[in-house]
Amino acid sequence: MFRSSSLCPLTFVAFSFAVLFQSQLITRSLNPCLEVTPGTTYKCMELNLSGIPPDIPTSTQSLDLSFNPLEILTSNYFSSVSALKFLDLTRCHIQKIEDNAFVGLWKLSVLILTANPLHFLGPRAFHDLVSLQRLIAVETKLSSLNKLPIGHLTSLQDLNLSNNYIDSLKLPKYFSHLIFLRFLSLQANKISSISVGDLDALSSYNLTLLLSKNDIKYIEVNAFLGLHIQEISLRGCFESSTVMQASLQNLTGLHVKSLVLGEYRNMKKLKTFSKSILDALCHMYLQEITLISIGDVIFNTGDLFPCLNNISSVRLVDTYTEDVSNFPENSSIRYLEFKNCKFKEVPSVRLSSLKELRSLRITRTKRLVEFEADFQGLQKLETLDLSENRLTADLCWICLRNGVPNLKYMNLSFNYRISLVTECHALPKLEKLDLQHTTLSGTGEYPVFLCLVNLIYLDISYTGTNIKSECSFCGLNSLLVLKMAGNTFENNKLVNILKNLTNLQILDISNCRLQSLSLDSLGSLRELRELNISHNKLLGLHSEAYAQLQALTILDFHSNQLAIFTEKDLENFPRSLKSLYLSRNPFDCSCENLNFLQWAKQKRNPLQHPESMFCHSPMHLRDVRLMDFDLSSCHVSTTTVATSVSISMVLVLSLILVYKYYFHLYYMAVLLSGRRRSTENDNVYDAFVIYSSKDQEWVKRELEETLEAGVPRFRLCFFYRDFIPGVPIITNIVQEGFQSSRKVIAVVSSHFLDSRWCNFELEVAQSWQLLDSNASMILIVLEGVDKAVVQRKLGVFRYLRRNTYLVWKDLELNRHMFLRHLRSALLDGKTWTEEELRLMLTG
Ligand SMILES: *[C@@H]1O[C@H](CO)[C@@H](O)[C@H](O)[C@H]1NC(C)=O
Ligand SMILES: *[C@@H]1O[C@H](CO)[C@@H](O)[C@H](O)[C@H]1NC(C)=O
Ligand SMILES: *[C@@H]1O[C@H](CO)[C@@H](O)[C@H](O)[C@H]1NC(C)=O
Ligand SMILES: *[C@@H]1O[C@H](CO)[C@@H](O)[C@H](O)[C@H]1NC(C)=O
Ligand SMILES: *[C@@H]1O[C@H](CO)[C@@H](O)[C@H](O)[C@H]1NC(C)=O
Ligand SMILES: *[C@@H]1O[C@H](CO)[C@@H](O)[C@H](O)[C@H]1NC(C)=O
Ligand SMILES: *[C@@H]1O[C@H](CO)[C@@H](O)[C@H](O)[C@H]1NC(C)=O
Ligand SMILES: *[C@@H]1O[C@H](CO)[C@@H](O)[C@H](O)[C@H]1NC(C)=O
């Protein structure tokens, strides 16, 4: 009964908490949409919605309603979410957009209408979208540009109308208002002919026009005459080489910066590709050409010329090019790229005539395994990108320096194997070197980057490098960025190797199996802004290290063995720190780390993705989110700690008291238990004598011999004689002494008063008197005792009527008087046994 009534309020509280929590959950799940960013970003994909969910807040800026059966957008449809900037209505079965459907959305920047069968668009369907920059209406069954009422959308930059049924490139007049239009995709429509005047309405000079995947059969001569276009893409547009050639020929007079020609790998129509096709380009004003998937025949770069000799940029992609033929002298090509071609070696020498070449890229070439670096006279080459091939090479710094002395950027990443040597003839102008994901030999053992004095960017991530030499990065005095994730350090420890990189701003040593960083390893990196030490086995940095990195803005420490930041760490954190990544560390959520936990829950700390920080210990909190950690649980426990501390203090205190007054307590117990018996007991002794053992002689002479041998005969109780051995002294005192005696004789001397034991006995006697109203005491005060002390000690007991107060003096007369008084005091209340009476009579 008692127990259950005490449990009741507790259960009630717990229950109400549970109910509260539950109701919170319910309100959250009422809204079927995913809340990506509270208040601004919601995803409501595929929820069988037929309108905007009522609890989407008006502040929402980004709303994804794709794959819901909205069907008809009536006017004011979106008035409840007028702050929208991004709206995705992909595949919503929308057939009809009525006038003013988007009214109020004057901030909307992106509208996606992809895959809706738009049968009807009101003339004011897109009214009010004054900020619209991108309209994506891919696959909307649109059959004509005239049906799209977008003439007033003057902010429009991108219009993507791919995969529709538009059969004419005749731009409606309203295009003249779209002065910011940069991108018009009519890819995969039904445009088969282009005539003079079709593009007259075009007012933008910067347009990228995608016409790929239209089956173009006819282009009228001069259809593009005098037009200036940024880029035209005509991939997969022609059914044969003949049509292609004739069409290109009819593009006469077009000014296009960049032309993309070719096919798609999986839908090739052209059987042959002849040089004459490209001759057609001679009549165009062209700066850049990209040829993609041209023909199955081996394509010879010689075919490009002479028509393309004035072109500055040539890209060949997915093309069966095995080798380059010599380029003509005086070529103006500045940019040359081969991507996924069929080279086996880098055609260094063949490119020598490209005196204007600034940038050479040969990438993603599966067969490319050799690189001799025997370039000649490419004085202007600044960029060399040979990434994503299968190169195995000994990098010859001298050769590079001779052939391409002005190289600033070299990318050899994602190749097979590169050997580097120490050579002080390296490229003095090289600024960026990317070797990531290519097995390197030499790095980490020798100072292979020596003399790259202008290098500011070095990436040797995942290159199988094991840093052994302290001089691995010697000479890189200008380095700002060092990326070396996925390598190893000797003994898994970072020591002094970065010391001289005093300008370093970005350092990535993630995934390096690091177990420790020496304090001075980072100490000299005063300019460091970004430090990535994620995916290591670090327990933390030295507190001082944080103080040294005063320019740090980004610190990525995720996936390590960090348990907490100490108070000192937090204190020393650089003020500049903006982003701190700590997820996937085994955090210790014990209350002793309250400071850290409190800090982690603060809104204004620089923590990124705090939702993916979990407790690892203590056991019962494992996998609890740090954010969800209940700080008050620690406060509760501090109060329990406080109460338990005070309880134990009380306990200790009472133990001390018990220890101190042990005898008193014990004697009380004995006394009380004895009192019950004493009523039945006959008194054995006439008096129990308490005295100091130093007065033993006096007691023997004046009491024992005088009283026990004299007449009348008295029986006294002396502890040395009458106490029962083996029984606790207190029990003896109480049971043998007080309980068995009629009176107590206290022999008060200065020894007596000095002795703690005698004082105690006296106190016991006094309490005994209080308990037993018949008990009386005979106080014998010996010579030389301080009267004041005696009076204080004896207090009121001196004056109790049943007590006798005697002063002993060593004088004959006095002794006589003393003995008489003592005898009469002892006789008071004495009953004689028959034996005693007989003895007395005979005596
Ligand atoms: C979608 O909602 C409609 C009613 O709005 C209902 O008739 C239909 O069964 C629902 N479809 C699914 C797949 O839940
Ligand atoms: C236009 O739409 C097509 C087809 O969905 C897509 O491939 C292309 O990336 C889009 N272009 C832009 C700029 O959005
Ligand atoms: C063309 O585009 C470039 C950037 O793409 C821009 O700098 C330039 O101003 C644009 N020119 C016109 C005429 O819009
Ligand atoms: C190119 O223009 C000429 C002259 O107008 C025309 O005869 C020919 O058919 C056109 N070719 C193509 C492929 O459109
Ligand atoms: C290259 O140009 C120079 C002058 O710029 C001219 O003298 C020389 O003949 C040209 N060479 C060729 C092969 O066109
Ligand atoms: C080097 O090439 C790789 C692969 O193409 C690319 O990812 C990387 O960004 C390039 N490096 C630099 C510094 O541009
Ligand atoms: C660092 O630079 C000093 C002076 O420039 C040089 O003496 C020392 O050898 C260098 N140490 C390393 C490890 O690069
Ligand atoms: C740090 O490196 C890891 C992988 O090594 C990467 O996933 C992470 O994005 C990097 N952190 C930052 C802040 O760039």
PDB file of all heavy atoms in Angstrom, residues 114 134-139 158-163 183-188 210 213, ligand 2:
ATOM      1  N   THR A 114       8.795  19.330 -66.308  1.00  0.00           N
ATOM      2  CA  THR A 114       9.157  18.148 -67.085  1.00  0.00           C
ATOM      3  C   THR A 114       8.128  17.016 -66.961  1.00  0.00           C
ATOM      4  O   THR A 114       7.595  16.771 -65.872  1.00  0.00           O
ATOM      5  CB  THR A 114      10.544  17.651 -66.604  1.00  0.00           C
ATOM      6  OG1 THR A 114      11.490  18.660 -66.918  1.00  0.00           O
ATOM      7  CG2 THR A 114      10.949  16.359 -67.271  1.00  0.00           C
ATOM      8  N   ARG A 134      15.002  30.055 -65.076  1.00  0.00           N
ATOM      9  CA  ARG A 134      15.064  28.760 -65.768  1.00  0.00           C
ATOM     10  C   ARG A 134      13.663  28.179 -65.885  1.00  0.00           C
ATOM     11  O   ARG A 134      12.965  28.017 -64.876  1.00  0.00           O
ATOM     12  CB  ARG A 134      15.934  27.763 -64.984  1.00  0.00           C
ATOM     13  CG  ARG A 134      17.382  28.148 -64.863  1.00  0.00           C
ATOM     14  CD  ARG A 134      18.169  27.033 -64.202  1.00  0.00           C
ATOM     15  NE  ARG A 134      18.201  25.840 -65.035  1.00  0.00           N
ATOM     16  CZ  ARG A 134      18.536  24.634 -64.596  1.00  0.00           C
ATOM     17  NH1 ARG A 134      18.853  24.451 -63.342  1.00  0.00           N
ATOM     18  NH2 ARG A 134      18.536  23.608 -65.433  1.00  0.00           N
ATOM     19  N   LEU A 135      13.297  27.848 -67.092  1.00  0.00           N
ATOM     20  CA  LEU A 135      12.030  27.150 -67.309  1.00  0.00           C
ATOM     21  C   LEU A 135      12.353  25.839 -68.000  1.00  0.00           C
ATOM     22  O   LEU A 135      12.894  25.827 -69.118  1.00  0.00           O
ATOM     23  CB  LEU A 135      11.092  27.992 -68.172  1.00  0.00           C
ATOM     24  CG  LEU A 135       9.753  27.342 -68.544  1.00  0.00           C
ATOM     25  CD1 LEU A 135       8.953  26.965 -67.305  1.00  0.00           C
ATOM     26  CD2 LEU A 135       8.923  28.262 -69.436  1.00  0.00           C
ATOM     27  N   ILE A 136      12.035  24.757 -67.355  1.00  0.00           N
ATOM     28  CA  ILE A 136      12.356  23.450 -67.922  1.00  0.00           C
ATOM     29  C   ILE A 136      11.054  22.738 -68.235  1.00  0.00           C
ATOM     30  O   ILE A 136      10.289  22.378 -67.336  1.00  0.00           O
ATOM     31  CB  ILE A 136      13.221  22.642 -66.944  1.00  0.00           C
ATOM     32  CG1 ILE A 136      14.510  23.443 -66.688  1.00  0.00           C
ATOM     33  CG2 ILE A 136      13.552  21.274 -67.514  1.00  0.00           C
ATOM     34  CD1 ILE A 136      15.414  22.889 -65.656  1.00  0.00           C
ATOM     35  N   ALA A 137      10.792  22.612 -69.520  1.00  0.00           N
ATOM     36  CA  ALA A 137       9.543  21.990 -69.961  1.00  0.00           C
ATOM     37  C   ALA A 137       9.881  20.854 -70.927  1.00  0.00           C
ATOM     38  O   ALA A 137       9.355  20.768 -72.025  1.00  0.00           O
ATOM     39  CB  ALA A 137       8.643  23.026 -70.611  1.00  0.00           C
ATOM     40  N   VAL A 138      10.755  19.991 -70.456  1.00  0.00           N
ATOM     41  CA  VAL A 138      11.161  18.819 -71.226  1.00  0.00           C
ATOM     42  C   VAL A 138      10.003  17.824 -71.254  1.00  0.00           C
ATOM     43  O   VAL A 138       9.295  17.683 -70.245  1.00  0.00           O
ATOM     44  CB  VAL A 138      12.418  18.182 -70.567  1.00  0.00           C
ATOM     45  CG1 VAL A 138      12.771  16.869 -71.228  1.00  0.00           C
ATOM     46  CG2 VAL A 138      13.586  19.143 -70.595  1.00  0.00           C
ATOM     47  N   GLU A 139       9.773  17.213 -72.406  1.00  0.00           N
ATOM     48  CA  GLU A 139       8.778  16.144 -72.517  1.00  0.00           C
ATOM     49  C   GLU A 139       7.390  16.606 -72.049  1.00  0.00           C
ATOM     50  O   GLU A 139       6.790  16.025 -71.148  1.00  0.00           O
ATOM     51  CB  GLU A 139       9.244  14.948 -71.659  1.00  0.00           C
ATOM     52  CG  GLU A 139       8.820  13.604 -72.200  1.00  0.00           C
ATOM     53  CD  GLU A 139       9.251  12.476 -71.260  1.00  0.00           C
ATOM     54  OE1 GLU A 139      10.464  12.380 -70.969  1.00  0.00           O
ATOM     55  OE2 GLU A 139       8.378  11.721 -70.842  1.00  0.00           O
ATOM     56  N   ASP A 158      17.532  30.378 -69.178  1.00  0.00           N
ATOM     57  CA  ASP A 158      17.587  29.010 -69.708  1.00  0.00           C
ATOM     58  C   ASP A 158      16.194  28.552 -70.069  1.00  0.00           C
ATOM     59  O   ASP A 158      15.287  28.611 -69.245  1.00  0.00           O
ATOM     60  CB  ASP A 158      18.102  28.032 -68.636  1.00  0.00           C
ATOM     61  CG  ASP A 158      19.549  28.265 -68.299  1.00  0.00           C
ATOM     62  OD1 ASP A 158      20.141  29.183 -68.890  1.00  0.00           O
ATOM     63  OD2 ASP A 158      20.075  27.534 -67.442  1.00  0.00           O
ATOM     64  N   LEU A 159      16.055  28.074 -71.273  1.00  0.00           N
ATOM     65  CA  LEU A 159      14.761  27.512 -71.672  1.00  0.00           C
ATOM     66  C   LEU A 159      15.037  26.135 -72.244  1.00  0.00           C
ATOM     67  O   LEU A 159      15.667  25.995 -73.290  1.00  0.00           O
ATOM     68  CB  LEU A 159      14.108  28.423 -72.719  1.00  0.00           C
ATOM     69  CG  LEU A 159      12.749  27.982 -73.265  1.00  0.00           C
ATOM     70  CD1 LEU A 159      11.732  27.806 -72.146  1.00  0.00           C
ATOM     71  CD2 LEU A 159      12.230  29.002 -74.283  1.00  0.00           C
ATOM     72  N   ASN A 160      14.606  25.124 -71.500  1.00  0.00           N
ATOM     73  CA  ASN A 160      14.897  23.754 -71.926  1.00  0.00           C
ATOM     74  C   ASN A 160      13.618  23.098 -72.417  1.00  0.00           C
ATOM     75  O   ASN A 160      12.728  22.767 -71.639  1.00  0.00           O
ATOM     76  CB  ASN A 160      15.486  22.969 -70.740  1.00  0.00           C
ATOM     77  CG  ASN A 160      16.119  21.665 -71.190  1.00  0.00           C
ATOM     78  OD1 ASN A 160      15.793  21.167 -72.280  1.00  0.00           O
ATOM     79  ND2 ASN A 160      16.999  21.123 -70.385  1.00  0.00           N
ATOM     80  N   LEU A 161      13.534  22.927 -73.734  1.00  0.00           N
ATOM     81  CA  LEU A 161      12.333  22.345 -74.347  1.00  0.00           C
ATOM     82  C   LEU A 161      12.670  21.042 -75.051  1.00  0.00           C
ATOM     83  O   LEU A 161      12.048  20.686 -76.053  1.00  0.00           O
ATOM     84  CB  LEU A 161      11.728  23.349 -75.339  1.00  0.00           C
ATOM     85  CG  LEU A 161      11.311  24.693 -74.742  1.00  0.00           C
ATOM     86  CD1 LEU A 161      10.893  25.677 -75.836  1.00  0.00           C
ATOM     87  CD2 LEU A 161      10.160  24.505 -73.766  1.00  0.00           C
ATOM     88  N   SER A 162      13.647  20.323 -74.498  1.00  0.00           N
ATOM     89  CA  SER A 162      14.053  19.050 -75.107  1.00  0.00           C
ATOM     90  C   SER A 162      12.902  18.051 -75.117  1.00  0.00           C
ATOM     91  O   SER A 162      11.972  18.156 -74.319  1.00  0.00           O
ATOM     92  CB  SER A 162      15.204  18.426 -74.306  1.00  0.00           C
ATOM     93  OG  SER A 162      16.260  19.313 -74.190  1.00  0.00           O
ATOM     94  N   ASN A 163      12.999  17.090 -76.039  1.00  0.00           N
ATOM     95  CA  ASN A 163      12.034  15.990 -76.099  1.00  0.00           C
ATOM     96  C   ASN A 163      10.580  16.445 -76.224  1.00  0.00           C
ATOM     97  O   ASN A 163       9.721  16.052 -75.447  1.00  0.00           O
ATOM     98  CB  ASN A 163      12.182  15.073 -74.880  1.00  0.00           C
ATOM     99  CG  ASN A 163      13.556  14.435 -74.788  1.00  0.00           C
ATOM    100  OD1 ASN A 163      14.518  15.106 -74.418  1.00  0.00           O
ATOM    101  ND2 ASN A 163      13.648  13.187 -75.181  1.00  0.00           N
ATOM    102  N   PHE A 183      20.551  30.104 -73.114  1.00  0.00           N
ATOM    103  CA  PHE A 183      20.535  28.675 -73.365  1.00  0.00           C
ATOM    104  C   PHE A 183      19.151  28.279 -73.875  1.00  0.00           C
ATOM    105  O   PHE A 183      18.157  28.464 -73.186  1.00  0.00           O
ATOM    106  CB  PHE A 183      20.857  27.965 -72.041  1.00  0.00           C
ATOM    107  CG  PHE A 183      20.949  26.495 -72.145  1.00  0.00           C
ATOM    108  CD1 PHE A 183      22.176  25.872 -72.347  1.00  0.00           C
ATOM    109  CD2 PHE A 183      19.812  25.708 -72.042  1.00  0.00           C
ATOM    110  CE1 PHE A 183      22.256  24.503 -72.440  1.00  0.00           C
ATOM    111  CE2 PHE A 183      19.887  24.344 -72.134  1.00  0.00           C
ATOM    112  CZ  PHE A 183      21.117  23.730 -72.335  1.00  0.00           C
ATOM    113  N   LEU A 184      19.131  27.770 -75.090  1.00  0.00           N
ATOM    114  CA  LEU A 184      17.850  27.299 -75.644  1.00  0.00           C
ATOM    115  C   LEU A 184      18.048  25.883 -76.140  1.00  0.00           C
ATOM    116  O   LEU A 184      18.806  25.642 -77.081  1.00  0.00           O
ATOM    117  CB  LEU A 184      17.399  28.208 -76.790  1.00  0.00           C
ATOM    118  CG  LEU A 184      16.147  27.763 -77.560  1.00  0.00           C
ATOM    119  CD1 LEU A 184      14.940  27.637 -76.649  1.00  0.00           C
ATOM    120  CD2 LEU A 184      15.846  28.724 -78.713  1.00  0.00           C
ATOM    121  N   SER A 185      17.390  24.945 -75.461  1.00  0.00           N
ATOM    122  CA  SER A 185      17.527  23.557 -75.900  1.00  0.00           C
ATOM    123  C   SER A 185      16.269  23.118 -76.631  1.00  0.00           C
ATOM    124  O   SER A 185      15.178  23.101 -76.072  1.00  0.00           O
ATOM    125  CB  SER A 185      17.765  22.639 -74.702  1.00  0.00           C
ATOM    126  OG  SER A 185      17.764  21.304 -75.156  1.00  0.00           O
ATOM    127  N   LEU A 186      16.471  22.775 -77.890  1.00  0.00           N
ATOM    128  CA  LEU A 186      15.381  22.183 -78.687  1.00  0.00           C
ATOM    129  C   LEU A 186      15.805  20.788 -79.112  1.00  0.00           C
ATOM    130  O   LEU A 186      15.394  20.278 -80.143  1.00  0.00           O
ATOM    131  CB  LEU A 186      15.091  23.069 -79.898  1.00  0.00           C
ATOM    132  CG  LEU A 186      14.489  24.428 -79.552  1.00  0.00           C
ATOM    133  CD1 LEU A 186      14.516  25.361 -80.746  1.00  0.00           C
ATOM    134  CD2 LEU A 186      13.048  24.241 -79.076  1.00  0.00           C
ATOM    135  N   GLN A 187      16.627  20.198 -78.269  1.00  0.00           N
ATOM    136  CA  GLN A 187      17.156  18.867 -78.530  1.00  0.00           C
ATOM    137  C   GLN A 187      16.018  17.854 -78.615  1.00  0.00           C
ATOM    138  O   GLN A 187      15.010  17.981 -77.917  1.00  0.00           O
ATOM    139  CB  GLN A 187      18.065  18.515 -77.358  1.00  0.00           C
ATOM    140  CG  GLN A 187      19.057  17.424 -77.614  1.00  0.00           C
ATOM    141  CD  GLN A 187      20.079  17.392 -76.504  1.00  0.00           C
ATOM    142  OE1 GLN A 187      20.808  18.357 -76.317  1.00  0.00           O
ATOM    143  NE2 GLN A 187      20.124  16.308 -75.779  1.00  0.00           N
ATOM    144  N   ALA A 188      16.169  16.878 -79.520  1.00  0.00           N
ATOM    145  CA  ALA A 188      15.193  15.796 -79.655  1.00  0.00           C
ATOM    146  C   ALA A 188      13.775  16.318 -79.895  1.00  0.00           C
ATOM    147  O   ALA A 188      12.830  15.977 -79.181  1.00  0.00           O
ATOM    148  CB  ALA A 188      15.231  14.891 -78.429  1.00  0.00           C
ATOM    149  N   LEU A 210      20.939  24.318 -78.698  1.00  0.00           N
ATOM    150  CA  LEU A 210      21.102  22.876 -78.833  1.00  0.00           C
ATOM    151  C   LEU A 210      20.050  22.338 -79.796  1.00  0.00           C
ATOM    152  O   LEU A 210      18.855  22.378 -79.519  1.00  0.00           O
ATOM    153  CB  LEU A 210      20.935  22.180 -77.477  1.00  0.00           C
ATOM    154  CG  LEU A 210      21.872  22.568 -76.350  1.00  0.00           C
ATOM    155  CD1 LEU A 210      21.777  21.579 -75.186  1.00  0.00           C
ATOM    156  CD2 LEU A 210      23.317  22.619 -76.825  1.00  0.00           C
ATOM    157  N   LYS A 213      19.914  15.767 -82.072  1.00  0.00           N
ATOM    158  CA  LYS A 213      18.825  14.781 -82.121  1.00  0.00           C
ATOM    159  C   LYS A 213      17.555  15.291 -82.808  1.00  0.00           C
ATOM    160  O   LYS A 213      16.442  14.870 -82.439  1.00  0.00           O
ATOM    161  CB  LYS A 213      18.482  14.290 -80.711  1.00  0.00           C
ATOM    162  CG  LYS A 213      19.605  13.499 -80.066  1.00  0.00           C
ATOM    163  CD  LYS A 213      19.145  12.922 -78.749  1.00  0.00           C
ATOM    164  CE  LYS A 213      20.237  12.227 -78.007  1.00  0.00           C
ATOM    165  NZ  LYS A 213      19.862  11.849 -76.657  1.00  0.00           N
TER     166      LYS A 213
HETATM  167  C1  LIG B   2      17.663  20.068 -70.644  1.00  0.00           C
HETATM  168  O1  LIG B   2      16.930  18.850 -70.607  1.00  0.00           O
HETATM  169  C2  LIG B   2      17.639  17.708 -71.030  1.00  0.00           C
HETATM  170  C3  LIG B   2      16.690  16.551 -71.006  1.00  0.00           C
HETATM  171  O2  LIG B   2      16.119  16.402 -69.746  1.00  0.00           O
HETATM  172  C4  LIG B   2      18.814  17.475 -70.099  1.00  0.00           C
HETATM  173  O3  LIG B   2      19.582  16.376 -70.528  1.00  0.00           O
HETATM  174  C5  LIG B   2      19.688  18.735 -70.108  1.00  0.00           C
HETATM  175  O4  LIG B   2      20.726  18.576 -69.147  1.00  0.00           O
HETATM  176  C6  LIG B   2      18.854  19.937 -69.746  1.00  0.00           C
HETATM  177  N1  LIG B   2      19.703  21.109 -69.812  1.00  0.00           N
HETATM  178  C7  LIG B   2      19.737  22.006 -68.866  1.00  0.00           C
HETATM  179  C8  LIG B   2      20.687  23.137 -69.043  1.00  0.00           C
HETATM  180  O5  LIG B   2      19.026  21.945 -67.894  1.00  0.00           O
END
